[in-house]
Amino acid sequence: MSKIISLANQKGGVGKTTSSINLAASLAHEGKKVLLIDADPQANASSGLGVEVRDLDNTIYECLINGIDPHVAIIKTSKKNLSIIPSHIDLVGAEIEMLNVDNRETIMRRMLTSLRNEYDYILIDCSPSLGLLTVNALTASDSVIIPVQCEFFALEGIAKLLNTIKIIKSQLNPTLQIEGFLLTMYDNRLRLSNQVYEEVKRHFGDLVFNTVISRNVRLSEAPSHGKCVLDYDSQSRGAQNYLALAKELIKRGK
């Protein structure tokens, strides 16, 4: 049975989608069968893996709102072992459409039931909000990875996210765990990056991943080519960071 992991942080620009794409690709590189679910209306994870979202008939929107079989929406990427259920701008309206549905918080969990035995990992790239789509993702997940950028306002908003996780654990998904805090955009030349690292480590201890994602130009360039960083430049620091993260995640699960 697969492990379902959401990558969530309502703060934008923390490297959430970059981490979703590249962790998924790195797990696939390590021989794991991986499904990435793009649950963000911006569809950046989809375009970042070379999917032309404008040409699609079936996306996560149709799965959640129209109840289509999610197998129909799955697209195999150019990366071996990695598939994706893409997003679409239509997903913007999904939260309103879901409001009058019974058990609306568990729609995604029910959707994923038929996929759980087909993958080693299912990763969900959440939207940068704490709305109904993110609540659905967290309710469907076994655990959550929280990307935290090494910048001044790094811990801003995390208390709100942790409170949301606490509520979901108490009311919707008692087995939900925090997989870890992932520090992104790290620059060891900057005192601020080191201060943020120390502060996050002091607050959350062993919940912080040992692997840190460094600031890397190749990471920024890869999505514009529709590629994960491993396929764009496998020798770059960004690629090596995400490979290390994948190995750490696999090791944690043993």
Side-chain angles (χ1 to χ4, degrees):
M1 185 176 280
S2 59
K3 183 167 191 177
I4 302 177
I5 305 174
S6 283
L7 285 90
N9 191 330
Q10 79 274 21
K11 195 172 187 300
V14 299
K16 179 182 54 61
T17 297
T18 298
S19 294
S20 299
I21 292 171
N22 291 300
L23 175 57
S26 297
L27 287 167
H29 183 82
E30 291 298 306
K32 302 298 180 182
K33 195 172 182 190
V34 183
L35 175 66
L36 176 60
I37 296 176
D38 189 350
D40 185 345
Q42 296 175 85
N44 289 336
S46 305
S47 58
L49 283 172
V51 177
E52 285 288 344
V53 294
R54 292 170 298 179
D55 303 335
L56 300 176
D57 294 322
N58 297 305
T59 67
I60 184 72
Y61 174 85
E62 282 74 24
C63 296
L64 294 174
I65 303 303
N66 301 333
I68 71 160
D69 184 338
H71 291 88
V72 178
I74 293 172
I75 295 174
K76 288 187 176 180
T77 72
S78 58
K79 187 78 183 167
K80 185 182 177 184
N81 296 324
L82 176 58
S83 298
I84 185 170
I85 293 181
S87 184
H88 191 274
I89 191 64
D90 287 351
L91 199 60
V92 167
E95 294 197 350
I96 297 170
E97 294 178 69
M98 292 160 76
L99 282 176
N100 295 319
V101 177
D102 290 338
N103 301 311
R104 58 183 180 266
E105 298 89 356
T106 61
I107 295 171
M108 193 177 296
R109 180 161 69 192
R110 299 195 299 272
M111 182 197 97
L112 293 179
T113 302
S114 64
L115 300 174
R116 287 210 72 151
N117 293 322
E118 299 176 24
Y119 297 91
D120 297 306
Y121 290 92
I122 296 175
L123 302 187
I124 307 174
D125 180 31
C126 296
S127 60
S129 75
L130 293 179
L132 192 49
L133 284 172
T134 298
V135 169
N136 258 266
L138 294 173
T139 302
S141 296
D142 299 306
S143 63
V144 54
I145 291 174
I146 303 170
V148 180
Q149 85 281 30
C150 290
E151 293 179 0
F152 185 69
F153 293 113
L155 296 179
E156 191 179 77
I158 284 184
K160 200 169 183 181
L161 174 59
L162 293 178
N163 189 52
T164 300
I165 291 169
K166 185 178 177 182
I167 293 168
I168 287 170
K169 272 183 71 101
S170 66
Q171 298 182 13
L172 295 165
N173 184 5
T175 60
L176 179 65
Q177 300 293 323
I178 294 176
E179 190 72 43
F181 291 84
L182 174 65
L183 285 152
T184 63
M185 307 179 198
Y186 178 76
D187 187 338
N188 62 5
R189 299 167 301 177
L190 299 179
R191 181 186 297 173
L192 179 60
S193 281
N194 291 297
Q195 286 174 339
V196 171
Y197 178 85
E198 293 301 328
E199 188 176 2
V200 174
K201 194 77 177 168
R202 181 165 52 83
H203 270 82
F204 303 111
D206 291 341
L207 284 175
V208 182
F209 282 103
N210 294 323
T211 305
V212 174
I213 309 301
S214 300
R215 242 181 224 289
N216 183 248
V217 173
R218 294 308 212 189
L219 271 178
S220 304
E221 292 174 346
S224 65
H225 296 269
K227 293 181 178 181
C228 64
V229 73
L230 268 174
D231 287 346
Y232 183 63
D233 185 351
S234 62
Q235 300 305 309
S236 66
R237 180 178 286 187
Q240 295 307 309
N241 286 165
Y242 279 108
L243 271 178
L245 177 64
K247 288 172 182 174
E248 185 177 350
L249 186 62
I250 292 166
K251 191 175 179 182
R252 281 187 177 198
K254 288 182 178 176

